[in-house]
Amino acid sequence: KNEVEQSPQNLTAQEGEFITINCSYSVGISALHWLQQHPGGGIVSLFMLSSGKKKHGRLIATINIQEKHSSLHITASHPRDSAVYICAVSGGSNYKLTFGKGTLLTVNP
Amino acid sequence: ETGVTQSPTHLIKTRGQQVTLRCSSQSGHNTVSWYQQALGQGPQFIFQYYREEENGRGNFPPRFSGLQFPNYSSELNVNALELDDSALYLCASSLEQEIYGYTFGSGTRLTVV
């Protein structure tokens, strides 16, 4: 079993829909990161959180430390949101990131 | 402020050769982490450099080595390349390990033939 599990693996939505991507982890962490990766590889950090909830524009990230679970929500989805969304957790003495396999999101117009 | 710059963007090497990948960290960042991402997989931690010292290593053989310079830029060296080394290599920089999160480069796509 991977230390970081994401669901779903693939998600197709219509423009305007509310989207939720889930992440569960099995290890102790210092923080949880949500990242966005576009074709070609570059990764953009969306959120880093260790408790509660964060919001940036149409993106909302929540974390429940007791349940070891986090969700990434996208409100009013748009085709430009199409990307791979990756959950990663950091911990240990060097805060290295352990990544989930990612969720491929496709938003159709 | 500049972001993280990786070079080259693409590289093709022959099995058995050696390769050096470079990463310029974001201005003010003193920590660089390297990750390997195989096709269809999440990135895997190779190692981290903090203030010019190796500060943790993942499950990679010794032929993967690194270096961090006084300006905090970094190199990843891979000797005796194998076909399975074909992957996207990502560099991420941060300040004081992770206090303010990570900034990623666009990666170097290495193909070993």
Side-chain angles (χ1 to χ4, degrees):
Chain A
K1 189 178 187 320
N2 292 329
E3 293 179 337
V4 181
E5 297 279 355
Q6 281 186 242
S7 63
Q9 280 189 297
N10 293 280
L11 182 56
T12 300
Q14 288 300 120
E15 184 173 355
E17 285 186 0
F18 180 83
I19 287 162
T20 296
I21 300 170
N22 294 300
C23 175
S24 296
Y25 55 93
S26 58
V27 294
I29 67 170
S30 58
L32 184 139
H33 303 253
W34 281 104
L35 309 163
Q36 181 191 57
Q37 186 171 35
H38 282 280
I43 289 180
V44 174
S45 179
L46 299 174
F47 296 103
M48 177 175 118
L49 62 165
S50 54
S51 65
K53 174 180 172 178
K54 287 191 176 180
K55 184 175 189 290
H56 184 243
R58 296 181 292 106
L59 301 177
I60 302 166
T62 64
I63 188 169
N64 184 318
I65 297 292
Q66 287 72 32
E67 295 186 4
K68 295 187 175 177
H69 180 270
S70 175
S71 294
L72 175 68
H73 306 285
I74 304 176
T75 62
S77 59
H78 189 276
R80 65 175 175 264
D81 296 328
S82 298
V84 175
Y85 291 83
I86 305 174
C87 170
V89 299
S90 55
S93 60
N94 57 15
Y95 303 96
K96 74 176 180 77
L97 292 172
T98 301
F99 292 78
K101 291 187 176 180
T103 295
L104 175 60
L105 171 65
T106 304
V107 182
N108 294 317
Chain B
E1 76 190 6
T2 58
V4 174
T5 304
Q6 289 188 244
S7 63
T9 54
H10 295 83
L11 199 53
I12 299 175
K13 287 286 192 177
T14 303
R15 191 171 52 182
Q17 284 188 314
Q18 179 266 342
V19 69
T20 297
L21 309 182
R22 294 179 175 83
C23 172
S24 294
S25 57
Q26 181 167 313
S27 177
H29 284 187
N30 57 14
T31 305
V32 172
S33 304
W34 286 92
Y35 295 88
Q36 181 197 63
Q37 186 177 23
L39 205 59
Q41 301 296 315
Q44 298 291 318
F45 176 71
I46 303 175
F47 43 56
Q48 182 187 89
Y49 280 85
Y50 172 58
R51 297 191 180 198
E52 301 180 61
E53 298 285 334
E54 186 178 291
N55 184 42
R57 186 179 184 92
N59 189 25
F60 281 82
R63 58 190 186 83
F64 285 77
S65 63
L67 197 57
Q68 187 177 33
F69 299 99
N71 67 355
Y72 301 126
S73 65
S74 178
E75 286 183 353
L76 164 64
N77 298 290
V78 188
N79 292 322
L81 284 166
E82 300 177 0
L83 297 179
D84 284 348
D85 296 333
S86 296
L88 179 69
Y89 289 84
L90 291 159
C91 163
S93 76
S94 53
L95 176 61
E96 295 302 323
Q97 296 176 303
E98 81 153 8
I99 291 178
Y100 302 106
Y102 293 92
T103 303
F104 286 82
S106 295
T108 293
R109 175 76 62 187
L110 173 65
T111 303
V112 182
V113 297

